[in-house]
Amino acid sequence: MVDKATEIKSVKVDGTPARGSFIQAVAAVVWKDLRAEFRSRELFSAMLVFSLLIILIFNFALELDVKTRRSVTAGVLWATFAFAGTLGLNRSMAIEKDRGCMDGLLLAPVDRSAIYFGKVISNLIFMLIVEVIVLPVYSALYAINLFQPGLILVILLGSIGYVSVGTLLSAMSVQTRTRDILLPILLFPVAIPVLLAAVKASNGFLTGAEWAEILLPLNLLIAYDVIFIAVAFMVFDHVVEE
Amino acid sequence: MQPKPVALKVLDLASIILLAISTYLALVFAPTERVMGDVQRVFYFHIGTAWTALLGFILAAVFSVIYLIRKDLKWDRFQVAAIEVSLVFFLITIVLGSIWARPAWNTWWTWDPRLTTAAITELIYAAYFMLRQGIDDPDKRASFGAIYALLGGLSAPLTFFAIRLFRTIHPVVIGGTNPEADGGFSMTADMRLAFFFALFAFTVIFIDLFWNRLRLGDLQDNVEQLKLKVSM
């Protein structure tokens, strides 16, 4: 893979943004994040252990016996993903702010939205990796098969919506005085539609509900993803400007 | 300090008079509802405050867009004023609704789409003020506030649809019928008068409070600037 520095340089040389340069810039941001994470493994291990702990707590808080499990599995999964996701979102923007990396990123002669999409994709990758590990663990612990194509689709759509709003809000919250503690307060009320629709759709797939019943929340998820990615794309400039 | 404009003073007075008349119409003039009794009288103010609060939230979203395009702090003051007044009005709506729900639904609270959306909307705008408090730079505060108000304004209707995937018992008095709704009724002519008067009165009160809050915002700005001047 190309080094981040050369990647940015190749964009710079182009002068006027070429067609491929936007995607190149996005890829450079994603690659930078993945590589930094691969070296430190701070964020990933924290998210993973945290989500396993949440499941453990839910196990005793809700007394997940066979009967309850059927109805609450979707809820437990999404609460876990939401909490673990907040951890990751906070961290991914905090490291940029702490060591002045954000200024470096902003100096790059690329469209600001490339930084946003790069951050969204890397956050999404972290969240999906955690989910990919949590699912089999949950399946094994509670003898429920969670590997259904429909459920995977819902998790993908839900994570996209959650991360796209979360990345925008975490870019805002790191610039405030209260920093980390503000992100969940900002994010949860705005992300409620995506969480509710995801729980409803997941539940539908897990209980084998009729297609018509699942289609509605699924459409809502898609609508949420499209609307909020579009808005975040338009306003991200205002968040990072100095 | 510039004196209070005469028009605003007149509006203050008009608001008080309108509120008094509206109270009279709601509590005395309007006939008692047959099934629910006197508690139904809460309805007039419940809708009055709800309507103005929603108006304020929609206005705030519009001001957000204007601010993000124009970058003029005037629109930020408009936005804060609209949200602050609406936040209080919406809280009144929720409390009044709760008072009505206790005898009508036999519970203070239920996780119905309207109630839940109302609660979450309150939380969104409470978070909005927490966000603003954490930022010192006025331009950044205004930008972030505008973005968050816009996100909140977009997500509130989606929240409503998302919760409707579950179910509703909230009655729809104006247009539309829900066979599962509980506590609906049809209005007589006198009730309608009290109802529309309450809508009108609360709209005027909203404009009055909005204007006063706007003036307060301007004065706050002046104080900030004077403080800067003194410290220099």
Side-chain angles (χ1 to χ4, degrees):
Chain A
M1 269 302 219
V2 201
D3 192 71
K4 179 203 156 203
T6 51
E7 190 103 28
I8 295 287
K9 215 178 277 169
S10 73
V11 176
K12 207 183 272 179
V13 172
D14 281 351
T16 50
R19 186 195 304 230
S21 71
F22 184 80
I23 297 170
Q24 262 183 346
V26 172
V29 175
V30 174
W31 182 240
K32 169 194 82 70
D33 273 6
L34 290 185
R35 181 177 266 196
E37 180 51 34
F38 184 71
R39 287 186 181 149
S40 65
R41 289 190 204 86
E42 284 173 338
L43 173 59
F44 176 68
S45 44
M47 276 171 85
L48 189 64
V49 173
F50 185 58
S51 41
L52 294 177
L53 286 172
I54 295 173
I55 290 181
L56 187 93
I57 291 169
F58 270 128
N59 178 54
F60 292 103
L62 300 177
E63 298 205 19
L64 289 175
D65 52 38
V66 184
K67 232 179 178 177
T68 355
R69 240 179 268 163
R70 279 186 67 81
S71 54
V72 301
T73 293
V76 169
L77 280 179
W78 279 103
T80 309
F81 297 158
F83 291 144
T86 322
L87 215 60
L89 289 167
N90 249 333
R91 178 84 187 144
S92 98
M93 278 299 172
I95 50 168
E96 300 292 356
K97 197 73 191 166
D98 278 346
R99 297 167 203 170
C101 303
M102 201 61 192
D103 299 328
L105 276 178
L106 293 177
L107 281 175
V110 292
D111 200 296
R112 295 276 164 87
S113 55
I115 300 171
Y116 169 74
F117 282 117
K119 277 285 170 192
V120 166
I121 292 172
S122 62
N123 282 330
L124 186 64
I125 290 173
F126 293 142
M127 200 162 160
L128 289 178
I129 292 175
V130 170
E131 287 163 354
V132 161
I133 296 176
V134 165
L135 284 184
V137 171
Y138 194 95
S139 299
L141 287 177
Y142 299 109
I144 294 179
N145 180 22
L146 294 178
F147 282 91
Q148 302 173 21
L151 187 65
I152 307 283
L153 175 73
V154 173
I155 289 178
L156 188 66
L157 286 174
S159 304
I160 290 175
Y162 189 75
V163 165
S164 59
V165 178
T167 304
L168 179 72
L169 291 177
S170 73
M172 278 161 51
S173 70
V174 288
Q175 298 181 52
T176 64
R177 230 177 296 125
T178 33
R179 306 194 73 174
D180 320 37
I181 52 166
L182 198 58
L183 178 66
I185 293 169
L186 293 178
L187 176 56
F188 286 165
V190 179
I192 287 217
V194 83
L195 292 176
L196 287 182
V199 167
K200 188 76 181 171
S202 309
N203 219 358
F205 279 115
L206 286 174
T207 53
E210 278 178 44
W211 183 238
E213 210 176 299
I214 301 172
L215 202 61
L216 215 60
L218 216 52
N219 282 338
L220 192 66
L221 274 178
I222 295 169
Y224 186 95
D225 288 1
V226 172
I227 294 172
F228 280 85
I229 289 175
V231 172
F233 168 68
M234 286 190 279
V235 301
F236 190 70
D237 255 6
H238 299 288
V239 172
V240 290
E241 72 192 356
E242 286 303 314
Chain B
M1 196 183 108
Q2 66 264 61
K4 207 171 187 175
V6 179
L8 184 55
K9 278 184 192 161
V10 173
L11 200 62
D12 284 348
L13 197 67
S15 300
I16 295 170
I17 295 169
L18 284 173
L19 183 63
I21 299 174
S22 187
T23 310
Y24 168 77
L25 287 179
L27 296 185
V28 182
F29 177 76
T32 308
E33 210 272 330
R34 191 151 37 93
V35 185
M36 287 177 281
D38 279 333
V39 73
Q40 178 269 338
R41 293 176 188 280
V42 148
F43 160 81
Y44 305 105
F45 280 19
H46 177 66
I47 307 290
T49 49
W51 138 253
T52 39
L54 289 181
L55 179 75
F57 290 141
I58 292 167
L59 280 178
V62 174
F63 295 146
S64 301
V65 176
I66 300 177
Y67 175 79
L68 288 174
I69 295 169
R70 294 270 173 82
K71 290 277 168 189
D72 183 350
L73 281 177
K74 180 179 82 177
W75 297 106
D76 181 54
R77 288 199 291 276
F78 272 73
Q79 192 195 351
V80 177
I83 291 183
E84 213 172 280
V85 178
S86 289
L87 194 67
V88 176
F89 271 41
F90 220 36
L91 188 65
I92 296 173
T93 307
I94 294 174
V95 171
L96 289 178
S98 214
I99 291 170
W100 173 83
R102 181 74 186 114
W105 291 341
N106 203 21
T107 173
W108 294 108
W109 187 263
T110 165
W111 295 104
D112 156 274
R114 277 159 215 261
L115 275 69
T116 314
T117 309
I120 291 166
T121 307
E122 284 285 294
L123 288 174
I124 287 177
Y125 291 104
Y128 167 87
F129 284 109
M130 293 175 80
L131 172 67
R132 292 184 69 97
Q133 263 170 14
I135 309 167
D136 296 320
D137 176 24
D139 288 312
K140 190 173 266 182
R141 185 168 54 214
S143 281
F144 286 15
I147 291 170
Y148 195 67
L150 189 61
L151 288 180
L154 284 171
S155 96
L158 287 174
T159 302
F160 182 72
F161 286 123
I163 301 161
R164 227 173 44 173
L165 296 172
F166 299 81
R167 67 196 173 83
T168 178
I169 62 165
H170 191 289
V172 180
V173 177
I174 314 295
T177 47
N178 172 5
E180 278 177 49
D182 190 4
F185 59 95
S186 50
M187 286 192 281
T188 66
D190 285 350
M191 282 179 170
R192 224 168 276 140
L193 176 71
F195 170 71
F196 284 111
F197 194 85
L199 281 192
F200 171 68
F202 275 100
T203 309
V204 174
I205 294 168
F206 176 82
I207 295 169
D208 180 59
L209 288 174
F210 178 71
W211 192 349
N212 275 305
R213 180 63 185 81
L214 212 54
R215 189 166 163 273
L216 185 66
D218 287 341
L219 292 175
Q220 270 173 341
D221 266 21
N222 288 350
V223 171
E224 291 283 314
Q225 276 165 14
L226 286 175
K227 269 186 189 164
L228 270 178
K229 233 183 234 172
V230 170
S231 65
M232 271 198 294

